[in-house]
Amino acid sequence: MPAATRVRWALAGATSVALVASGCSSSGGGGGSSDSGKSFSYQSSEPQNPLQPANANESGGGRIIQNLFKGLVDYDPSNAQLRMQVAQSIDTSDAQTFNVTLKSGWTFHDGSPVTANSFVDAWNWAANTSNNQINSSWFGDIAGYKDVHPESGAPTATKMSGLTVTDDTHFTIKLSTKVSYFEYKLGYIAFSPLPTSFFSDPAAAGEKPIGNGPYQFVSWEHNSQVVTKTFPNYMGVDKPKNGGVVFKMYNSAEAAYADLQSNNLDVMDQVPPSALATYKTDLGDRAIDSPQGAIQNIGFTLYQPEWSSPNTAKVRQGLSMAIDRATITKTVLQGSRSPASAWTAEGVEGYKAGTCGDFCNFNVDQAKQLIAEGGGVPGNKLTITYNADGGHKEWVDAVCNSIRQSTGVDCLGDPKTDFKTARAAITGHQINGAFRTGWVQDYPLNANFLADVYRTGAASNDFGYSSPEFDQLANQADQAATIQDSATGYQKAEAVLAQDMPAIPLWYYRTNSGYSTNVQNVTFDSFGNPAWTQVEVKG
């Protein structure tokens, strides 16, 4: 990702980690008066799945869930550093056994208490293969995971042996092997707690979720909006300065931008490519241009016979070299992105430029040669599936034009109506060839861009990619003595991707956004999210 500043976070020690409660929160600011009772609206998309914390790995559902629920820890939007939320402390002396102490007084939106069982029961349920949660693999580090989520067949247990409750405010997490950065993973939404009422009817709870976060669910009008309101008894360090968030669903970024300009939308996700050249002039000091830990890729359906042969890696390498990233980012994307040279975004710990090597450099002759050596693109035709509501048409067309003109391969975009439809087709293995796949950091470490995407069976491994060499190096990196050593180990695993090319890195993101005249104190974090609770609605 193109960023002048590098997103850093405090690194834990090698042998003993003690994460203690912090009383800090994001600072306020902004001139003028504000009304903490008024809600603001945000550009969103229809969630792919019900609003269950372990069932969202896309931004449409994820951003809503992260506001309705709050886990043990999260990340300070001002600096991406880990901070305590429900947890008072998380202690470990070996990066394998973690002793968790909860703060007292937290409640769910229905008034029931948040206890150690709220976390342990939620994680056991989410990990269980019978419950079909898309993020179940996030619990794979915990001892006993394979008992509740076997590779085949029915679970042999309902609880992971690595989770032990001591009392209402204490529980222990034991991993199958040490993972030096495990605390950072705990900030992901899949590790949210659930109230007892959830388990009596999970489907209903997914339609009307009861969380413990800064915002409380009000209503969900499918394909239109999700309405939330501030939870008055919220115990987190980030108390809301507004009355709630309305997540408005849009079928196109252009429509959202028009609403922003007319003050019918308060905060955008990303301005469309068509507005990149003018949005700073249009919005003035309300325009946002900030670093983001994110990358845009093109993934391949390696589970299909025509793409599963080892020789097809050369075809994918050739296609990568047929893409003129420098020209596309400069013209179509108006300099708002920078060409990628690795599978990890700029700004995260462990980022190493150039891992892709020459395969991410534009070279027509070598592109043709590699495609020919790999046996050619199946049928000499490539389709790239993407969601039409996300402002992707322009760059997909440009990528296809570059491939077509460079190699003679017939390349076409395959637009799906919205993000939900595109994700359903991708995760359901209902497409052919290639697809647009972006990744925004869940935690600021290269492992998130690698293990959680390319490890065999990972929740977001939509390619069907499986490499014993990559898996072995990733496992070794997990067990390194320090977080820095893990990051270095993952750089070795990343190098394997260059020889297999399961996905083509395109460019690194920035947050190019803006806000209406109705709100103030709008800032974005390195995850590409506004600092939700700090947005102020003008009185």
Side-chain angles (χ1 to χ4, degrees):
M1 178 192 37
T5 57
R6 209 176 147 74
V7 179
R8 288 282 187 181
W9 34 271
L11 299 181
T15 58
S16 178
V17 181
L19 300 175
V20 297
S22 169
C24 66
S25 63
S26 300
S27 61
S33 62
S34 64
D35 188 337
S36 61
K38 289 184 178 180
S39 299
F40 71 93
S41 57
Y42 177 79
Q43 175 198 1
S44 188
S45 58
E46 177 71 6
Q48 180 185 2
N49 297 314
L51 295 173
Q52 301 160 328
N55 212 15
N57 66 356
E58 38 74 41
S59 59
R63 284 175 173 149
I64 297 171
I65 289 171
Q66 72 178 227
N67 283 289
L68 297 176
F69 292 85
K70 190 61 67 175
L72 298 172
V73 299
D74 69 358
Y75 309 97
D76 189 322
S78 67
N79 56 22
Q81 289 187 359
L82 198 70
R83 64 183 181 185
M84 298 294 102
Q85 286 285 8
V86 182
Q88 178 73 27
S89 63
I90 304 174
D91 301 305
T92 185
S93 59
D94 60 3
Q96 185 168 0
T97 299
F98 298 82
N99 297 309
V100 180
T101 300
L102 304 182
K103 297 172 185 173
S104 299
W106 277 74
T107 65
F108 289 102
H109 300 152
D110 63 358
S112 60
V114 178
T115 68
N117 278 311
S118 304
F119 286 94
V120 170
D121 291 347
W123 300 359
N124 279 323
W125 185 88
N128 195 303
T129 187
S130 302
N131 297 318
N132 197 31
Q133 296 292 282
I134 199 167
N135 286 324
S136 58
S137 66
W138 278 79
F139 304 95
D141 297 321
I142 300 173
Y145 173 76
K146 292 182 179 180
D147 296 329
V148 301
H149 200 109
E151 293 184 6
S152 61
T156 58
T158 58
K159 298 179 180 180
M160 289 181 281
S161 60
L163 298 177
T164 305
V165 173
T166 303
D167 56 36
D168 281 352
T169 57
H170 297 85
F171 71 98
T172 300
I173 308 167
K174 184 175 182 181
L175 309 183
S176 54
T177 59
K178 65 181 181 180
V179 178
S180 62
Y181 58 92
F182 183 72
E183 302 98 318
Y184 291 88
K185 297 180 73 170
L186 291 173
Y188 187 51
I189 57 173
F191 291 96
S192 300
L194 290 171
T196 302
S197 61
F198 173 91
F199 303 101
S200 61
D201 194 342
E207 290 295 317
K208 296 181 179 181
I210 297 172
N212 66 319
Y215 299 104
Q216 184 173 354
F217 177 84
V218 175
S219 63
W220 183 0
E221 184 180 349
H222 286 278
N223 300 303
S224 178
Q225 63 181 18
V226 169
V227 178
T228 72
K229 64 180 181 180
T230 297
F231 177 46
N233 297 326
Y234 177 61
M235 295 285 291
V237 299
D238 51 336
K239 301 291 194 297
K241 297 181 178 179
N242 52 68
V245 186
V246 178
F247 296 88
K248 298 179 67 174
M249 317 305 179
Y250 284 90
N251 289 325
S252 75
E254 288 76 13
Y257 188 62
D259 270 6
L260 184 78
Q261 290 180 291
S262 60
N263 284 329
N264 290 316
L265 174 69
D266 292 320
V267 183
M268 282 208 74
D269 176 22
Q270 290 272 13
V271 300
S274 59
L276 285 171
T278 61
Y279 86 102
K280 291 182 180 179
T281 301
D282 295 341
L283 302 178
D285 60 5
R286 293 181 289 111
I288 299 287
D289 183 0
S290 61
Q292 183 182 146
I295 189 171
Q296 187 78 269
N297 301 322
I298 294 175
F300 288 85
T301 54
L302 306 186
Y303 50 83
Q304 293 185 309
E306 55 266 39
W307 286 106
S308 63
S309 167
N311 282 342
T312 59
K314 287 189 174 182
V315 177
R316 296 187 291 274
Q317 291 165 346
L319 290 170
S320 179
M321 299 188 77
I323 299 171
D324 188 352
R325 294 166 178 79
T327 298
I328 294 172
T329 54
K330 182 179 180 180
T331 57
V332 177
L333 297 173
Q334 297 293 319
S336 65
R337 312 285 187 266
S338 66
S341 64
W343 286 264
T344 299
E346 288 181 337
V348 303
E349 188 68 24
Y351 166 73
K352 183 180 181 180
T355 307
C356 186
D358 288 340
F359 299 134
C360 282
N361 295 331
F362 182 55
N363 188 312
V364 172
D365 292 338
Q366 288 189 34
K368 291 179 179 178
Q369 180 179 340
L370 283 168
I371 291 173
E373 290 176 358
V377 174
N380 201 43
K381 182 176 182 179
L382 182 71
T383 58
I384 303 175
T385 298
Y386 66 95
N387 53 302
D389 61 343
H392 302 298
K393 182 181 187 303
E394 291 86 349
W395 70 256
V396 171
D397 287 348
V399 165
C400 273
N401 286 338
S402 185
I403 290 173
R404 189 183 307 110
Q405 292 170 10
S406 298
T407 67
V409 172
D410 184 16
C411 182
L412 296 170
D414 174 28
K416 301 299 182 185
T417 305
D418 53 31
F419 194 37
K420 176 182 179 180
T421 303
R423 288 300 303 162
I426 291 167
T427 58
H429 291 182
Q430 297 170 354
I431 62 172
N432 294 310
F435 54 93
R436 170 257 161 187
T437 174
W439 188 260
V440 182
Q441 63 184 12
D442 297 307
Y443 52 95
L445 181 69
N446 60 350
N448 180 231
F449 288 82
L450 301 171
D452 297 318
V453 181
Y454 300 102
R455 197 197 300 263
T456 300
S460 296
N461 186 343
D462 298 323
F463 327 100
Y465 176 63
S466 180
S467 164
E469 183 181 5
F470 178 91
D471 291 348
Q472 181 181 12
L473 290 169
N475 291 338
Q476 291 173 358
D478 284 347
Q479 298 174 46
T482 68
I483 292 175
Q484 296 96 327
D485 289 341
S486 285
T488 300
Y490 268 105
Q491 291 173 347
K492 297 177 182 178
E494 186 175 12
V496 177
L497 301 181
Q499 67 189 36
D500 294 341
M501 198 67 70
I504 294 174
L506 293 178
W507 39 76
Y508 306 122
Y509 270 95
R510 290 185 70 84
T511 296
N512 302 108
S513 181
Y515 54 95
S516 75
T517 61
N518 299 325
V519 293
Q520 60 190 13
N521 199 35
V522 180
T523 60
F524 278 72
D525 60 23
S526 63
F527 298 81
N529 299 317
W532 307 97
T533 60
Q534 303 307 299
V535 175
E536 299 174 358
V537 182
K538 294 179 181 179

